[in-house]
Amino acid sequence: MVERGRTLLASRPLGRTNAAVRLGGAIAGVLVVFALVGPSVSPYDPTAQLLEARLEGPSLAHPLGTDALGRDIATRLAYGARVSLALAVAATLVRLVIGTTVGLLAATGGRLVDTVLMRLVDVQLAFPGLVLALVIAGVLGPSLRNVVIALSLVGWASYARVVRGSVLSIRERPFVRSAKLHGTPWHRLVRRHLLPHLVSPVLVLATLNVGTVVLAVAGLSYLGLGAQPPTPEWGTMIANGRNYLRAAPWIVTAPGVAIMLTVISFNLLGDGLRDALDPDHLEDRQRRRT
């Protein structure tokens, strides 16, 4: 009975984990398909103005209504999904590369290199991320490229800390020490023995970061530092519709719900992956199999 109870307790977190991964992955998959297929099947131009159809509510012709310039909200939402998701993935990849490189150098480059790089990480983390991104984007000027640069420069420090901590624990294991004793070159040691063990924590952090970056991109665009009219982007769509909250709330509701679903989906996916890839859960799986 005791063993059966332990098995049930061990299986419940995995059940919740699988549900979170499935739900988050399903929502994220729908958003990706919507971004890829939506613009192709829509009969409307996302930037064409039809003033005679301005501020129309949801209908068969316009499922999500039209904005103040008569543009179809659903079409602009689909094009905006492409922009927002592409920017989020690009910024996350840049963060990942910079942070992983800094973390590896800090953990394997000696005490002086570690001290210098980690003090740089501490300085970066001392500033609120969105505020620092706002300053950088304001200095560089409003554009989508500058938004990616700003968000990349303020988000890599968390990757550096995670990678450094993981490498410091991995390098003390017997197989790494044995590789060092056999004279394995540094680049081969990193590629064959360190990087494979970094995939799990970095993947989880990157998945959680995508939703955060989508929200940050929308915030910067809302303030006029990201996508510029008439480019369809979720943040600019909310900014364009803020003066019509009472007369035409659907202008703001559609992109707001899209942002909310994106953040929720990637948070669920990241939390589920973190639990599924946790060593304790992996040991439980092996114990149940044997």
Side-chain angles (χ1 to χ4, degrees):
M1 290 297 292
V2 174
E3 187 64 29
R4 184 182 178 186
R6 289 177 179 175
T7 302
L8 289 174
L9 288 175
S11 62
R12 286 176 184 173
L14 287 176
R16 290 197 297 268
T17 294
N18 292 333
V21 171
R22 286 196 296 267
L23 180 59
I27 298 175
V30 169
L31 290 170
V32 171
V33 171
F34 178 64
L36 294 176
V37 178
S40 302
V41 300
S42 175
Y44 301 104
D45 187 328
T47 61
Q49 301 181 14
L50 300 173
L51 297 181
E52 64 275 10
R54 63 190 304 269
L55 300 180
E56 288 188 0
S59 63
L60 291 178
H62 303 284
L64 297 179
T66 62
D67 63 8
L69 297 176
R71 298 172 296 192
D72 183 66
I73 298 289
T75 303
R76 290 180 61 80
L77 197 70
Y79 277 93
R82 284 186 175 183
V83 175
S84 297
L85 293 177
L87 290 179
V89 171
T92 301
L93 288 177
V94 176
R95 288 180 173 185
L96 188 152
V97 172
I98 297 175
T100 302
T101 303
V102 172
L104 282 171
L105 291 176
T108 61
R111 180 172 298 180
L112 178 60
V113 175
D114 184 27
T115 301
V116 172
L117 291 179
M118 295 316 295
R119 294 299 76 74
L120 181 62
V121 169
D122 291 339
V123 170
Q124 199 274 326
L125 291 175
F127 296 93
L130 189 57
V131 175
L132 186 57
L134 184 64
V135 173
I136 296 174
V139 172
L140 296 178
S143 73
L144 294 176
R145 183 190 64 182
N146 292 339
V147 165
V148 174
I149 294 174
L151 293 176
S152 301
L153 292 178
V154 302
W156 58 268
S158 56
Y159 290 90
R161 279 199 164 182
V162 168
V163 169
R164 175 182 176 272
S166 299
V167 173
L168 288 178
S169 63
I170 295 169
R171 73 178 188 180
E172 301 301 326
R173 296 183 181 180
F175 65 90
V176 177
R177 290 187 174 185
S178 176
K180 289 181 179 179
L181 290 175
H182 284 80
T184 304
W186 182 83
H187 63 87
R188 188 176 181 183
L189 182 69
V190 171
R191 186 177 69 252
R192 296 191 60 181
H193 299 288
L194 297 181
L195 286 179
H197 291 82
L198 299 176
V199 172
S200 296
V202 170
L203 177 62
V204 170
L205 183 57
T207 305
L208 291 170
N209 260 188
V210 172
T212 305
V213 176
V214 168
L215 191 59
V217 169
L220 292 176
S221 295
Y222 178 86
L223 296 174
L225 295 174
Q228 299 300 302
T231 302
E233 196 275 333
W234 291 343
T236 56
M237 291 175 67
I238 294 177
N240 293 335
R242 66 181 182 272
N243 295 325
Y244 303 93
L245 282 174
R246 293 186 177 181
W250 55 84
I251 301 177
V252 173
T253 302
V257 170
I259 294 171
M260 180 189 68
L261 290 176
T262 304
V263 175
I264 290 175
S265 66
F266 282 102
N267 282 349
L268 285 173
L269 190 58
D271 287 339
L273 289 175
R274 178 178 55 193
D275 294 338
L277 298 175
D278 187 86
D280 293 335
H281 288 309
L282 294 179
E283 290 179 4
D284 289 340
R285 287 177 181 174
Q286 290 286 28
R287 193 179 299 113
R288 286 197 299 272
R289 289 176 183 175
T290 55

